[in-house]
């Protein structure tokens, strides 16, 4: 936040609108913690709702696959008009014999088919659908971690900007008092007119920065509301005045997080699920080389009897029950490339799982180091605040005694304000990187 070193004078005008833009900052809304916002997001976030619907769909697909294990049973009937029944017993060009049959006919009956064996394809299809459901569950878990991380980013953005607002607001009040003091000194001829102008310019820049932070607060609130599945303009307040606890974050090292990730990470589990599904798919394709055995039964009532000799105009019934064996010889050469492709897909899934393993380890390393860097930044920022606070005190005293320049005082005040910004930013970065780390390893 170094913009306040050079500024347009229009910043004063923009500040006039800040109270209206920042109305929600003073609304009486019960402040929520990050954990409370997470709970609301888990219930109402639209991405999570969509993931749950996809999971429900996969559960139904399992039931559909199980339905295919049941026997096929159908009933049917027909009603028809019969033509003359002509028999050419002496050839097509001879005079035919006209067999007397009714001019209409009808029939009713059932047909049953039950698969006894088809290489285990139907049962394996159920297993594949179950594996797909397992993968969808991992996707839901991954989406939950992603939403919680995005909520945390928006939450700590809001946390940071609210603190910036308070810092700027307090700095503006202090600068107004300082301006009044410098104007009084100028009237007494103690300081130059340029000191009054420099202080006024700094005050204008602070007010412009306050207006900018106000807008960022509103954007962060809207983003949080969207992630929580609420209306954009709903009132929202957070417990930003609570101190960020950083002690527990230092626990655990890189190797610990990697070990947890390979047992808990939804992304890594998804890669493992893809391997299992591809192996089942290879077996499914190979099953086309096996015979199919089924039990069948049918029975029909018909009128008239014109299917067998001697023909009759009487009502008749006929049925069959037996076992049917089929073997597709063409699959011996047609399935060759299909099986080869399924094996390639299975090998691809294994390679992707190894790649995902290295990718997760690299992500953990990167975020872990970012967390360590953020912790170091916190320590540095705390030390800088102590030093710059003392610097401001000394320079302010010497300026009032006309022993230093106003520019030195303004630079020291800017450095102190920037140190406060840096400390808050570093603290939020520690929390955000820690939450990101937990999301990657799958324990957020």
């Amino acid at each position: 936040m170094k913009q306040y070193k050079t500024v347009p004078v229009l910043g004063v005008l923009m500040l006039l609108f800040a109270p209206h833009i920042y109305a929600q900052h003073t609304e009486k809304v019960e402040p929520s913690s990050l954990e409370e916002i997470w709970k609301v997001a888990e219930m109402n976030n639209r991405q999570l709702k969509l993931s749950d619907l996809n999971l429900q769909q996969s559960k139904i697909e399992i039931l559909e696959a199980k339905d295919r294990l049941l026997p096929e049973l159908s009933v049917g009937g027909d009603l028809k008009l019969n033509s003359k029944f002509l028999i050419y017993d002496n050839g097509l060009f001879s005079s035919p014999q006209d067999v007397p049959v009714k001019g209409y006919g009808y029939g009713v009956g059932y047909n049953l088919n039950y698969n006894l064996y088809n290489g285990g394809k139907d049962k394996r299809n159920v297993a594949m659908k179950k594996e797909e459901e397992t993968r969808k569950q991992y996707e839901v878990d991954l989406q939950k971690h992603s939403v919680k991380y995005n909520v945390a980013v928006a939450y700590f953005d809001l946390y940071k900007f609210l603190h910036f607002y308070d810092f700027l607001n307090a700095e503006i009040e202090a600068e107004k008092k300082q301006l009044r003091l410098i104007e009084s000194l100028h009237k007494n001829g103690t300081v130059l007119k340029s000191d009054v102008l420099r202080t006024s310019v700094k005050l204008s820049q602070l007010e412009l920065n306050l207006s900018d932070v106000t807008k960022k607060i509103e954007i962060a609130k809207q983003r949080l509301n969207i992630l929580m599945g609420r209306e954009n303009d709903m009132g929202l307040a957070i417990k930003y005045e609570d101190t960020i606890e950083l002690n527990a974050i230092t626990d655990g090292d890189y190797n610990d997080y990697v070990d947890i990730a390979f047992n808990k990470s939804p992304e890594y589990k998804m890669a493992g699920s893809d391997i299992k599904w591809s192996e089942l798919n290879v077996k499914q394709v190979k099953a086309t080389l096996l015979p199919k055995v089924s039990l069948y039964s049918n029975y029909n009532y018909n009128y008239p009897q014109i299917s067998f000799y001697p023909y009759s105009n009487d009502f008749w019934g006929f049925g069959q029950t037996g076992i049917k064996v089929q073997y597709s010889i063409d699959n011996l050469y047609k399935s060759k490339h299909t099986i080869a492709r399924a094996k390639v897909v299975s090998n691809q899934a294994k390679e992707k799982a190894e790649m995902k393993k290295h990718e997760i380890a690299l992500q953990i390393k990167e975020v872990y180091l970012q967390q360590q860097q953020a912790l170091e930044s916190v320590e540095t920022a705390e030390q800088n605040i102590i030093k710059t606070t003392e610097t401001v005190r000394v320079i302010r005293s010497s300026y009032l005694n006309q022993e230093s320049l106003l520019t030195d005082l303004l630079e020291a005040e800017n450095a102190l304000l920037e140190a406060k910004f840096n400390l808050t930013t570093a603290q939020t970065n520690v929390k955000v990187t820690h939450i990101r780390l937990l999301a990657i390893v799958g324990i957020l």
Side-chain angles (χ1 to χ4, degrees), residues 191-217:
V191 299
L192 299 174
K193 177 67 173 178
S194 59
D195 286 1
V196 177
L197 294 176
R198 286 192 183 96
T199 308
S200 298
V201 169
K202 179 189 175 183
L203 182 60
S204 298
Q205 181 60 62
L206 289 172
E207 290 169 341
L208 180 62
N209 287 339
L210 185 67
S211 176
D212 179 57
V213 168
T214 299
K215 294 178 178 63
K216 291 180 179 178
I217 288 172

Side-chain angles (χ1 to χ4, degrees), residues 358-370:
H358 295 307
E359 180 184 333
I360 291 173
L362 181 59
Q363 286 180 347
I364 294 172
K365 186 71 172 181
E366 182 180 3
V367 178
Y368 181 78
L369 292 177
Q370 288 175 355

Side-chain angles (χ1 to χ4, degrees), residues 384-398 408-409 411-413 415-416:
N384 286 343
I385 287 178
I386 295 173
K387 294 175 183 178
T388 52
T389 300
E390 180 62 18
T391 301
V392 168
R393 187 191 68 78
V394 172
I395 295 178
R396 180 176 287 119
S397 176
S398 62
D408 295 333
L409 176 59
E411 287 179 3
E413 290 174 344
L416 177 58

